[in-house]
Amino acid sequence: MTALLLEKIVKRFDTTTILRQLNLLVQEGQVYGLLGANGAGKSTLIHLIMGFLYPDSGRIEVFGKTPTAMHGQIGYLPERLRYHTHCSAREYLTAMGNFAGMRGASLTSRINDLLELVGLTEAADRRMRNYSKGMTQRVGIAQALLSDPQLLLIDEPSSGLDPQGQLEMRDLLLDLRSHGHTILICSHQLDEIEAVCNRVGILVHGAIAAETDLAQLTGTNGVVITLKETPTDALDFALRSIDPSIVRDDRFITVPENSPTLQGRLLQLLLDEGYTVASLQPSLGNLRDLYLHVVSGKEPPAEMQPQAPLAILDSLLAGEEQQ
Ligand SMILES: Nc1ncnc2c1ncn2[C@@H]1O[C@H](COP(=O)(O)OP(=O)(O)OP(=O)(O)O)[C@@H](O)[C@H]1O
């Protein structure tokens, strides 16, 4: 099911346009990493999804409803949350639960479960002013999960955390992912996004400039050849005979190793078989390369260029019908 749909979102502050026709689609159970330079508009996007801001135009749906209709069902950990550090995590979570209309034994049991989840059971009754920054940030995750939200929005989860705190946060996010939570994370920590997300989008000039499943990033610095025509299966056999590590997906051929000899043999084969090469680009095998490539204004590889949400939804529905 589609958890989050943003279509053609435009957001301006006075005369400055921050988001320009932004499209974004997040599926239920996905952990989506949103990257972008300082001031790219990531927090603005989160505030629109929360319903704190309204877009100038465009459509936002969270599990098929407007952000306002989803009030209380979207958990949010802002980049900077002010805590009442004179109270304990348990007192703070109880106050936040009461604020959201939760009471009694069910709230107590929910808080116990969340304290366990974020690893703060032992420290739950100590004053938060004695917590490390990492512990405080984990209280923030527990607060965001209090009402068992359908969607969790997390802005810069590891900002200001030491390496140990970052590792603990990463483990916690992986734990949430394994429990099937749908999460949108904004972060500048590429290794964190690489470790915990299954899909990533890069926000440049107010729109998603590149988008890919993390599994598509090969981790190597090879090349991607894009063909004009969709090849027949016979080509796969010929490709494998050149090098078994060559992978074809539709019109895209990924060559994990960037060797001139291998490229030469491959291009000769494609020429002999009558195919037309539309482009040959570095495969941008890791997230850092892809990020730096895209934020410098260069076009991403064709298979990482985002599609409009409706086109993706159509193809998903077509896939379901075929099954
Ligand atoms: N309420 C507001 N009024 C006017 N301008 C704003 C407002 N909120 C944000 N902006 C501007 O919008 C732009 C995007 O800000 P935003 O905080 O969304 O970026 P960001 O990608 O989250 O940045 P960072 O990575 O530094 O947190 C910035 O130029 C910011 O100054």
Side-chain angles (χ1 to χ4, degrees), residues 271-285:
L271 200 67
D272 291 347
E273 297 289 326
Y275 289 104
T276 316
V277 172
S279 68
L280 186 149
Q281 292 179 307
S283 67
L284 301 171

Side-chain angles (χ1 to χ4, degrees), residues 32-50 52 75-81 83 133 137 140-141 143-144 152-161 169 173 183-189 192-193 203:
Y32 190 105
L34 185 66
L35 295 171
N38 289 123
K42 303 178 295 296
S43 302
T44 302
L45 187 76
I46 285 191
H47 294 163
L48 288 164
I49 300 167
M50 287 299 295
F52 298 160
Y76 174 42
L77 176 60
E79 189 176 350
R80 286 177 211 88
L81 187 61
Y83 299 91
K133 195 152 190 234
Q137 197 67 342
I141 296 273
Q143 141 316 110
L152 194 55
L153 307 174
I154 307 181
D155 206 351
E156 297 289 347
S158 295
S159 168
L161 299 191
M169 178 54 70
L173 293 171
I183 314 177
L184 177 75
I185 304 176
C186 293
S187 176
H188 291 294
Q189 309 266 349
E192 178 173 74
I193 293 286
L203 183 57

Side-chain angles (χ1 to χ4, degrees), residues 195-211:
V196 306
C197 297
N198 37 27
R199 192 160 174 79
V200 64
I202 304 173
L203 183 57
V204 184
H205 300 312
I208 303 292
E211 198 173 38

